[in-house]
Amino acid sequence: MRARAVMAFGALLLVGNARADTPSCEELVRQGRAYEASSDQDRALARYGEAIQLDGACGVGYLAMGELRAHIGDGREAERVLSAGLERVPRMRAARLSRARVRRAIGMRADAEDDIRAIVDDVGSEEDAARPLTIAALRAVAGWYEEDRARPAELAAWRRILFMATRAEDATVTREATAMVRALTIVVGIADPVTAPARRDPFRLMLARVAR
Protein backbone atom coordinates (compact mmCIF):
# COMPACT_ATOMS: atom_id res chain seq x y z
CA MET A 1 0.00 0.00 0.00
CA ARG A 2 2.79 2.33 0.98
CA ALA A 3 4.72 1.44 -2.17
CA ARG A 4 1.73 2.31 -4.32
CA ALA A 5 1.36 5.68 -2.61
CA VAL A 6 5.04 6.45 -3.23
CA MET A 7 4.69 5.48 -6.90
CA ALA A 8 1.58 7.63 -7.31
CA PHE A 9 3.35 10.59 -5.70
CA GLY A 10 6.31 10.10 -8.03
CA ALA A 11 4.01 10.05 -11.05
CA LEU A 12 2.41 13.33 -9.95
CA LEU A 13 5.86 14.89 -9.63
CA LEU A 14 6.74 13.79 -13.16
CA VAL A 15 3.52 15.29 -14.56
CA GLY A 16 4.15 18.51 -12.68
CA ASN A 17 7.70 18.76 -13.97
CA ALA A 18 6.53 18.08 -17.54
CA ARG A 19 4.00 20.88 -17.28
CA ALA A 20 6.60 23.22 -15.84
CA ASP A 21 8.93 22.45 -18.73
CA THR A 22 6.23 23.21 -21.33
CA PRO A 23 6.67 26.79 -22.55
CA SER A 24 3.67 29.10 -22.48
CA CYS A 25 2.04 30.59 -25.54
CA GLU A 26 3.68 33.94 -24.76
CA GLU A 27 7.12 32.34 -24.33
CA LEU A 28 6.82 30.56 -27.70
CA VAL A 29 5.87 33.83 -29.36
CA ARG A 30 8.83 35.55 -27.66
CA GLN A 31 11.12 32.86 -29.07
CA GLY A 32 9.53 33.27 -32.49
CA ARG A 33 10.11 37.01 -32.46
CA ALA A 34 13.75 36.40 -31.55
CA TYR A 35 14.11 34.08 -34.55
CA GLU A 36 12.33 36.63 -36.72
CA ALA A 37 14.71 39.36 -35.56
CA SER A 38 17.63 37.18 -36.66
CA SER A 39 15.95 36.62 -40.07
CA ASP A 40 15.20 32.95 -39.35
CA GLN A 41 11.65 33.13 -40.67
CA ASP A 42 11.06 29.38 -40.87
CA ARG A 43 11.81 28.83 -37.19
CA ALA A 44 9.80 31.91 -36.29
CA LEU A 45 6.75 30.56 -38.12
CA ALA A 46 7.25 27.18 -36.45
CA ARG A 47 7.26 28.79 -32.98
CA TYR A 48 4.15 30.83 -33.74
CA GLY A 49 2.45 27.65 -34.95
CA GLU A 50 3.40 25.85 -31.74
CA ALA A 51 1.97 28.72 -29.71
CA ILE A 52 -1.36 28.48 -31.53
CA GLN A 53 -1.46 24.71 -31.15
CA LEU A 54 -0.73 25.02 -27.44
CA ASP A 55 -3.44 27.63 -26.92
CA GLY A 56 -6.14 28.10 -29.53
CA ALA A 57 -6.93 31.52 -28.07
CA CYS A 58 -3.31 32.74 -28.25
CA GLY A 59 -4.04 36.08 -29.86
CA VAL A 60 -0.41 37.21 -29.98
CA GLY A 61 0.46 33.99 -31.80
CA TYR A 62 -2.04 34.62 -34.59
CA LEU A 63 -0.98 38.26 -34.81
CA ALA A 64 2.73 37.43 -35.03
CA MET A 65 2.22 34.71 -37.62
CA GLY A 66 -0.13 36.85 -39.71
CA GLU A 67 2.21 39.82 -39.73
CA LEU A 68 5.19 37.66 -40.66
CA ARG A 69 3.21 36.04 -43.48
CA ALA A 70 2.35 39.51 -44.75
CA HIS A 71 5.99 40.60 -44.45
CA ILE A 72 7.21 37.74 -46.63
CA GLY A 73 4.57 38.51 -49.26
CA ASP A 74 2.02 35.80 -48.51
CA GLY A 75 -0.93 38.13 -48.15
CA ARG A 76 -3.68 35.56 -48.65
CA GLU A 77 -2.30 33.30 -45.94
CA ALA A 78 -1.77 36.29 -43.67
CA GLU A 79 -5.43 37.24 -44.09
CA ARG A 80 -6.50 33.66 -43.33
CA VAL A 81 -4.38 33.46 -40.17
CA LEU A 82 -5.53 36.83 -38.85
CA SER A 83 -9.17 35.97 -39.59
CA ALA A 84 -8.78 32.70 -37.68
CA GLY A 85 -7.36 34.61 -34.74
CA LEU A 86 -10.20 37.12 -34.77
CA GLU A 87 -12.74 34.30 -34.77
CA ARG A 88 -11.25 33.15 -31.47
CA VAL A 89 -10.40 36.55 -30.01
CA PRO A 90 -12.88 39.00 -31.61
CA ARG A 91 -11.79 42.04 -29.57
CA MET A 92 -8.13 41.74 -30.66
CA ARG A 93 -7.96 45.19 -32.22
CA ALA A 94 -4.27 44.99 -33.17
CA ALA A 95 -5.02 41.92 -35.31
CA ARG A 96 -8.00 43.68 -36.88
CA LEU A 97 -5.81 46.63 -37.85
CA SER A 98 -3.18 44.27 -39.24
CA ARG A 99 -5.84 42.41 -41.20
CA ALA A 100 -7.18 45.70 -42.56
CA ARG A 101 -3.75 46.54 -43.95
CA VAL A 102 -3.36 43.06 -45.42
CA ARG A 103 -6.81 43.17 -46.99
CA ARG A 104 -6.07 46.54 -48.55
CA ALA A 105 -2.83 45.16 -49.98
CA ILE A 106 -4.52 42.13 -51.57
CA GLY A 107 -7.38 44.11 -53.06
CA MET A 108 -10.09 43.51 -50.44
CA ARG A 109 -10.72 47.23 -50.05
CA ALA A 110 -14.29 47.15 -48.79
CA ASP A 111 -13.41 44.52 -46.20
CA ALA A 112 -10.37 46.54 -45.12
CA GLU A 113 -12.55 49.59 -44.52
CA ASP A 114 -15.00 47.45 -42.56
CA ASP A 115 -12.14 46.41 -40.26
CA ILE A 116 -11.13 50.03 -39.71
CA ARG A 117 -14.74 50.98 -39.03
CA ALA A 118 -15.03 48.17 -36.48
CA ILE A 119 -11.92 49.43 -34.66
CA VAL A 120 -13.12 53.02 -34.56
CA ASP A 121 -16.66 52.02 -33.52
CA ASP A 122 -15.36 49.72 -30.78
CA VAL A 123 -15.00 52.58 -28.33
CA GLY A 124 -16.26 51.92 -24.85
CA SER A 125 -15.17 55.12 -23.14
CA GLU A 126 -13.39 58.43 -23.64
CA GLU A 127 -10.19 56.84 -22.33
CA ASP A 128 -10.49 54.09 -24.93
CA ALA A 129 -11.26 56.61 -27.65
CA ALA A 130 -7.86 58.19 -27.04
CA ARG A 131 -5.99 54.93 -27.43
CA PRO A 132 -3.11 55.03 -29.94
CA LEU A 133 -4.44 52.00 -31.81
CA THR A 134 -7.63 53.83 -32.78
CA ILE A 135 -5.58 56.76 -34.06
CA ALA A 136 -3.34 54.32 -35.94
CA ALA A 137 -6.42 52.85 -37.62
CA LEU A 138 -7.58 56.30 -38.69
CA ARG A 139 -4.09 57.10 -39.95
CA ALA A 140 -4.22 53.97 -42.11
CA VAL A 141 -7.55 54.86 -43.67
CA ALA A 142 -6.44 58.48 -44.19
CA GLY A 143 -3.45 57.13 -46.11
CA TRP A 144 -5.72 54.97 -48.25
CA TYR A 145 -7.92 57.94 -49.09
CA GLU A 146 -4.77 59.87 -50.02
CA GLU A 147 -3.76 57.05 -52.39
CA ASP A 148 -7.23 57.13 -53.94
CA ARG A 149 -7.17 60.94 -54.10
CA ALA A 150 -10.42 60.99 -52.14
CA ARG A 151 -9.58 64.29 -50.48
CA PRO A 152 -12.89 65.00 -48.68
CA ALA A 153 -12.80 61.53 -47.08
CA GLU A 154 -9.14 62.01 -46.17
CA LEU A 155 -10.00 65.34 -44.57
CA ALA A 156 -12.78 63.70 -42.54
CA ALA A 157 -10.36 61.05 -41.29
CA TRP A 158 -7.81 63.65 -40.21
CA ARG A 159 -10.52 65.65 -38.43
CA ARG A 160 -11.37 62.53 -36.43
CA ILE A 161 -7.67 62.03 -35.66
CA LEU A 162 -7.44 65.64 -34.49
CA PHE A 163 -10.45 65.16 -32.21
CA MET A 164 -9.03 62.01 -30.63
CA ALA A 165 -5.49 63.38 -30.30
CA THR A 166 -6.85 66.48 -28.58
CA ARG A 167 -8.81 64.30 -26.15
CA ALA A 168 -5.68 62.25 -25.51
CA GLU A 169 -3.65 65.43 -24.96
CA ASP A 170 -1.13 64.13 -27.49
CA ALA A 171 0.60 67.34 -28.53
CA THR A 172 2.66 65.78 -31.33
CA VAL A 173 -0.26 64.14 -33.12
CA THR A 174 -2.45 67.19 -32.48
CA ARG A 175 0.06 69.44 -34.25
CA GLU A 176 0.36 67.03 -37.17
CA ALA A 177 -3.40 66.58 -37.49
CA THR A 178 -3.99 70.34 -37.27
CA ALA A 179 -1.54 70.93 -40.12
CA MET A 180 -3.13 68.18 -42.23
CA VAL A 181 -6.65 69.50 -41.66
CA ARG A 182 -5.62 73.02 -42.66
CA ALA A 183 -3.83 71.82 -45.78
CA LEU A 184 -6.64 69.50 -46.88
CA THR A 185 -9.25 72.18 -46.21
CA ILE A 186 -7.47 74.34 -48.78
CA VAL A 187 -7.20 71.45 -51.25
CA VAL A 188 -10.82 70.41 -50.88
CA GLY A 189 -12.07 73.98 -51.07
CA ILE A 190 -15.74 74.40 -51.92
CA ALA A 191 -16.30 70.64 -51.81
CA ASP A 192 -15.90 70.74 -48.03
CA PRO A 193 -19.34 70.99 -46.39
CA VAL A 194 -17.77 72.25 -43.15
CA THR A 195 -15.84 75.30 -44.32
CA ALA A 196 -17.78 76.12 -47.50
CA PRO A 197 -21.42 75.06 -47.09
CA ALA A 198 -23.87 75.74 -49.86
CA ARG A 199 -26.16 78.56 -48.80
CA ARG A 200 -29.35 76.70 -49.68
CA ASP A 201 -28.33 73.27 -48.46
CA PRO A 202 -29.51 72.85 -44.84
CA PHE A 203 -27.51 69.63 -44.35
CA ARG A 204 -24.22 71.28 -45.31
CA LEU A 205 -25.06 74.29 -43.13
CA MET A 206 -25.71 71.95 -40.20
CA LEU A 207 -22.31 70.27 -40.70
CA ALA A 208 -20.64 73.67 -40.72
CA ARG A 209 -22.31 74.69 -37.43
CA VAL A 210 -21.33 71.39 -35.75
CA ALA A 211 -17.71 71.63 -36.90
CA ARG A 212 -17.30 75.12 -35.56
Side-chain angles (χ1 to χ4, degrees), residues 4 7 9 15 32 38 44 51 54 77 89 112 115 127 132 139 153 156 159 167 200 202 210 212:
R4 289 181 181 178
M7 291 176 65
F9 182 69
V15 171
S38 62
L54 178 67
E77 180 62 15
V89 192
D115 276 338
E127 290 77 16
R139 279 178 176 278
R159 280 186 173 133
R167 285 290 184 91
R200 296 182 181 180
V210 170
R212 290 167 186 164

Side-chain angles (χ1 to χ4, degrees), residues 64-141:
M65 178 179 281
E67 290 186 335
L68 180 51
R69 286 291 185 188
H71 177 71
I72 63 180
D74 193 354
R76 294 289 175 184
E77 180 62 15
E79 198 275 340
R80 187 194 68 78
V81 170
L82 291 166
S83 294
L86 284 164
E87 286 179 5
R88 291 160 177 79
V89 192
R91 296 294 297 275
M92 188 168 47
R93 301 172 80 200
R96 193 170 296 280
L97 176 56
S98 184
R99 186 176 70 171
R101 289 172 172 151
V102 168
R103 284 178 161 179
R104 172 77 179 190
I106 63 178
M108 300 173 65
R109 295 192 171 199
D111 294 308
E113 291 184 14
D114 285 344
D115 276 338
I116 294 294
R117 192 174 298 110
I119 293 170
V120 175
D121 290 346
D122 183 25
V123 175
S125 66
E126 289 188 2
E127 290 77 16
D128 189 53
R131 286 173 59 178
L133 185 62
T134 304
I135 293 177
L138 287 166
R139 279 178 176 278
V141 79

Side-chain angles (χ1 to χ4, degrees), residues 14-212:
L14 288 173
V15 171
N17 289 336
R19 288 178 179 173
D21 291 339
T22 301
S24 66
C25 152
E26 291 77 11
E27 173 60 21
L28 287 167
V29 172
R30 188 195 66 76
Q31 293 174 13
R33 292 197 185 281
Y35 282 127
E36 190 175 344
S38 62
S39 301
D40 193 340
Q41 296 169 342
D42 290 338
R43 286 190 178 181
L45 288 171
R47 284 293 184 273
Y48 300 149
E50 290 171 16
I52 293 169
Q53 287 181 346
L54 178 67
D55 181 358
C58 181
V60 290
Y62 289 102
L63 176 60
M65 178 179 281
E67 290 186 335
L68 180 51
R69 286 291 185 188
H71 177 71
I72 63 180
D74 193 354
R76 294 289 175 184
E77 180 62 15
E79 198 275 340
R80 187 194 68 78
V81 170
L82 291 166
S83 294
L86 284 164
E87 286 179 5
R88 291 160 177 79
V89 192
R91 296 294 297 275
M92 188 168 47
R93 301 172 80 200
R96 193 170 296 280
L97 176 56
S98 184
R99 186 176 70 171
R101 289 172 172 151
V102 168
R103 284 178 161 179
R104 172 77 179 190
I106 63 178
M108 300 173 65
R109 295 192 171 199
D111 294 308
E113 291 184 14
D114 285 344
D115 276 338
I116 294 294
R117 192 174 298 110
I119 293 170
V120 175
D121 290 346
D122 183 25
V123 175
S125 66
E126 289 188 2
E127 290 77 16
D128 189 53
R131 286 173 59 178
L133 185 62
T134 304
I135 293 177
L138 287 166
R139 279 178 176 278
V141 79
W144 298 344
Y145 288 139
E146 180 184 14
E147 292 174 8
D148 296 340
R149 297 187 178 279
R151 300 306 185 189
E154 183 186 357
L155 174 56
W158 275 107
R159 280 186 173 133
R160 187 71 180 270
I161 292 170
L162 176 58
F163 171 77
M164 290 190 170
T166 302
R167 285 290 184 91
E169 298 183 353
D170 187 327
T172 301
V173 176
T174 297
R175 284 195 299 271
E176 179 188 8
T178 299
M180 290 300 298
V181 167
R182 287 174 178 169
L184 286 166
T185 298
I186 295 171
V187 172
V188 172
I190 61 172
D192 182 8
V194 172
T195 58
R199 291 183 179 179
R200 296 182 181 180
D201 188 335
F203 179 71
R204 289 165 67 104
L205 287 168
M206 181 273 292
L207 284 177
R209 286 196 296 272
V210 170
R212 290 167 186 164

